[in-house]
Amino acid sequence: LLPTDIEGKFVEKFSVNKANYYVIYLDSDYAIEYDCQEQLGVTNYCVHIMSRQTNIDDKKLEELKQYALSLQLNPRNLAFQRTEQFTCRN
């Protein structure tokens, strides 16, 4: 990730591919990151909700999801997909 002149914005670069990463929420326990990339005229995007703990409280998860939605970061109304991180360690 390469920092930009905009606080919270980074650019990912793998050879010729490049994606924009934005840290849109950060506190002592949770973070939300949004990334997007355009390839062949198609914009691909993703919102990642991360927790310092192995599990995230369902109520807090819903709050964070609603925050991301309030920023209109899901223009195609894609369904939320939870990815379990069983192999991650604190």
Side-chain angles (χ1 to χ4, degrees):
L1 293 178
L2 305 171
T4 69
D5 58 347
I6 300 172
E7 186 176 340
K9 179 183 178 187
F10 301 85
V11 175
E12 172 189 61
K13 185 160 171 88
F14 291 109
S15 61
V16 297
N17 293 330
K18 194 167 37 168
N20 292 309
Y21 281 74
Y22 299 88
V23 177
I24 59 171
Y25 179 88
L26 183 64
D27 69 21
S28 60
D29 295 312
Y30 302 99
I32 303 176
E33 174 271 327
Y34 168 77
D35 57 82
C36 61
Q37 178 182 38
E38 187 170 323
Q39 289 182 314
L40 303 173
V42 176
T43 301
N44 295 306
Y45 63 92
C46 210
V47 174
H48 297 100
I49 297 173
M50 297 165 273
S51 171
R52 287 188 184 271
Q53 303 302 317
T54 308
N55 296 307
I56 185 170
D57 175 71
D58 288 336
K59 182 178 177 185
K60 183 63 176 185
L61 176 61
E62 190 58 34
E63 288 175 20
L64 296 172
K65 285 169 40 181
Q66 291 304 314
Y67 176 71
L69 288 173
S70 77
L71 298 175
Q72 300 178 350
L73 298 178
N74 189 6
R76 292 190 215 135
N77 295 314
L78 300 176
F80 176 75
Q81 293 182 338
R82 188 176 195 140
T83 304
E84 298 296 339
Q85 302 291 325
F86 294 115
T87 59
C88 294
R89 302 280 183 227
N90 292 343

